[in-house]
């Protein structure tokens, strides 16, 4: 039935006979699919932009920052500075079994670094070895800091590929070379990739925290520490955040409810909230898109009702000559599905092409980048189209199949 040439010739004749009506009907379906693809692709672009902002931070991490007390507590005054130390870093390792990577950070700020006659300002990050996992650092040459560097106070440094281009000649290997920070020489042991890092990360370098504390008179002070929580759930990370602050409150003698004394940033919680937001956006987009498609499908159904009315006498003749109700229904359904699928495919392709053009010519930002409609969405859309086409033609097809030959032949 589907592959019968006569049926396709008849459908073609019907469509070409009413070109404007067919065009307007198909346009409504194409517009619905087009808008669905554009909205879903744009939503994905927004999600990609926000996810890029998390690219340089592990999404299963906690960050603990010290501050200044804003509440009096057991005889202590307001305004007391809370200072973390290496002991806090060591204690934090044992706070929870989910903690798998941890690093402290000693704040040095921006420093001038030079190699020969070339120099530049770079954010010097004094950290422990766990920073590689907290910052999602991808090494492209050499290695990151290791426990030996930290334990032996080694004067080693890890730079980005942007820093490499700033300070070294094009074909010069930076590994093993010594670059100068103030009056101190640091040996380059690795180069990390900048692509997944934010703009500020591109001009950063990493040195052992113990070396920085010794060389720059930091004593045992650390500015903050952070850790990844392995496979801990969001709820578990929330409980750990609360527990950690309470333990630090006992150690540093401040009110556990004082948010300014110690601040704990739960990236897991924030990331989950963002993902839930985009899930809501996708559901909303699907509702809007499907509603638009339904409006087009209603138009197709109405048109098919008109087609059946116009061809009442023809249907009567077919049934008088022995056509079965199933063959009549199949013919009407095939015409409905053909119009819907073809128009929907055009809308789908136009939507994909527009997204590809935007992806190619619109520069990425932190809030919108690489809009796309993946293959799964395209397949779902096509299945939706075929199903919708069948639904749109079913009621008119049943009406056509129920026509009695005698009544049909009398129809004017």
């Amino acid at each position: 039935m589907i592959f019968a040439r006569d049926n396709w010739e008849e459908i073609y004749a019907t469509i070409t006979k009413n070109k404007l009506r067919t065009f307007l009907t198909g346009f409504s379906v194409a517009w619905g699919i087009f808008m669905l693809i554009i909205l879903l692709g744009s939503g994905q672009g927004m999600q990609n932009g926000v996810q890029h902002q998390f690219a340089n931070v592990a999404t299963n991490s906690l960050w603990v920052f010290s501050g200044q007390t804003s509440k009096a507590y057991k005889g202590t005054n307001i305004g007391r500075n809370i200072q973390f130390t290496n002991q806090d870093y060591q204690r934090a390792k044992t706070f929870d079994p989910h903690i798998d990577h941890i690093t402290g950070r000693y704040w040095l700020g921006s420093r001038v670094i030079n190699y020969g006659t070339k120099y530049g300002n770079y954010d010097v990050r004094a950290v422990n070895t766990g920073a590689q996992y907290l910052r999602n650092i991808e090494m492209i040459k050499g290695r990151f800091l290791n426990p030996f560097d930290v334990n032996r106070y080694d004067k080693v440094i890890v730079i980005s590929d942007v820093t490499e281009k700033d300070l070294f000649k094009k074909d010069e290997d930076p590994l093993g070379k010594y670059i100068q920070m103030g009056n101190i020489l640091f040996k380059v042991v690795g180069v990390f990739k900048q692509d997944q890092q934010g703009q500020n990360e591109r001009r950063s370098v990493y040195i052992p925290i113990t070396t920085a504390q010794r060389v720059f008179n930091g004593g045992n002070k650390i500015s903050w520490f952070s850790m990844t929580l392995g496979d801990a759930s969001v709820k578990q990370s929330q409980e750990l955040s609360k527990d950690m602050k309470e333990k630090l409150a006992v150690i540093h003698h401040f009110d556990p409810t004082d948010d300014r004394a110690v601040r704990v940033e739960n990236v897991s919680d924030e990331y989950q909230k963002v993902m839930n937001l985009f899930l809501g956006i996708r559901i909303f987009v699907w509702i809007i898109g499907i509603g638009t498609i339904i409006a087009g499908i209603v138009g197709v159904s109405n048109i098919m009702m008109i087609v059946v009315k116009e061809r009442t006498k023809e249907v009567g003749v077919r049934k008088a000559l022995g056509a079965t109700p199933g063959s009549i229904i199949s013919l009407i359904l095939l015409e409905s599905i053909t119009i819907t699928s073809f128009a929907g495919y055009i809308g789908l392709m136009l939507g994909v092409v527009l997204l590809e053009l935007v992806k190619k010519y619109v520069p990425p930002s932190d809030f919108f980048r690489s809009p796309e409609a993946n293959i799964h969405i395209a397949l779902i859309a096509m299945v939706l189209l075929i199903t919708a086409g069948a639904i749109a033609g079913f009621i008119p097809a049943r009406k056509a199949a129920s026509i009695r030959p005698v009544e049909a032949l009398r129809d004017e």
Side-chain angles (χ1 to χ4, degrees), residues 188-290:
V188 178
V189 295
V191 179
F192 66 88
K193 188 177 181 180
Q194 71 169 22
D195 290 354
Q196 82 279 13
Q197 303 289 313
Q199 183 65 35
N200 292 333
E201 303 295 320
R202 298 180 182 181
R203 299 186 65 83
S204 300
V205 297
Y206 291 87
I207 64 174
I209 187 171
T210 52
T211 304
Q213 290 170 333
R214 173 173 288 190
V215 171
F216 298 103
N217 300 318
N220 69 342
K221 298 178 182 178
I222 62 175
S223 304
W224 65 82
F225 56 90
S226 49
M227 64 210 71
T228 56
L229 304 181
D231 58 355
S233 65
V234 173
K235 184 178 180 180
Q236 288 173 323
S237 71
Q238 292 170 341
E239 293 172 352
L240 176 56
S241 298
K242 182 180 179 182
D243 183 54
M244 180 170 294
K245 189 167 184 179
E246 290 175 350
K247 290 178 178 178
L248 289 172
V250 173
I251 295 169
H252 291 278
H253 202 64
F254 66 85
D255 189 334
T257 64
D258 190 347
D259 293 330
R260 294 182 61 183
V262 167
R263 177 168 52 92
V264 180
E265 289 189 3
N266 188 341
V267 179
S268 303
D269 190 22
E270 294 301 319
Y271 184 76
Q272 187 62 52
K273 288 178 182 178
V274 171
M275 291 301 101
N276 289 340
L277 172 63
F278 280 107
L279 175 61
I281 291 175
R282 283 196 297 273
I283 293 173
F284 178 74
V285 167
W286 273 105
I287 292 173
I288 297 299
I290 291 175

Side-chain angles (χ1 to χ4, degrees), residues 360-378:
K360 183 176 181 180
Y361 293 106
V362 175
S365 69
D366 286 340
F367 300 99
F368 189 83
R369 61 175 53 225
S370 302
E372 58 187 357
N374 60 40
I375 186 65
H376 300 292
I377 292 177

Side-chain angles (χ1 to χ4, degrees), residues 132-168:
Q132 182 174 6
Y133 304 95
L134 268 298
R135 287 290 183 179
N136 293 328
I137 296 171
E138 180 183 348
M139 301 303 299
I140 56 177
K141 292 180 182 179
R143 61 173 177 82
F144 194 67
L145 306 176
N146 63 34
F148 294 105
D149 299 326
V150 176
N151 294 334
R152 298 183 307 201
Y153 310 94
D154 288 345
K155 296 182 179 66
V156 294
I157 191 168
V158 178
I159 64 177
S160 73
D161 51 358
V162 169
T163 308
E164 178 187 7
K165 292 177 183 177
D166 289 345
L167 301 180
F168 296 89

Side-chain angles (χ1 to χ4, degrees), residues 10-57:
E10 188 172 341
I11 291 173
Y12 177 75
T14 304
I15 291 174
T16 54
K17 182 180 178 181
N18 302 283
K19 294 179 181 177
L20 179 60
R21 185 174 68 189
T22 302
F23 171 78
L24 293 177
T25 304
F27 177 79
S28 64
V29 176
W31 180 254
I33 287 292
F34 175 79
M35 289 305 300
L36 176 62
I37 295 300
I38 292 300
L39 289 172
L40 287 172
S42 299
Q44 186 63 49
M46 293 173 60
Q47 183 172 331
N48 291 342
V50 173
Q51 284 182 320
H52 180 74
Q53 297 182 44
F54 285 92
N56 65 330
V57 178

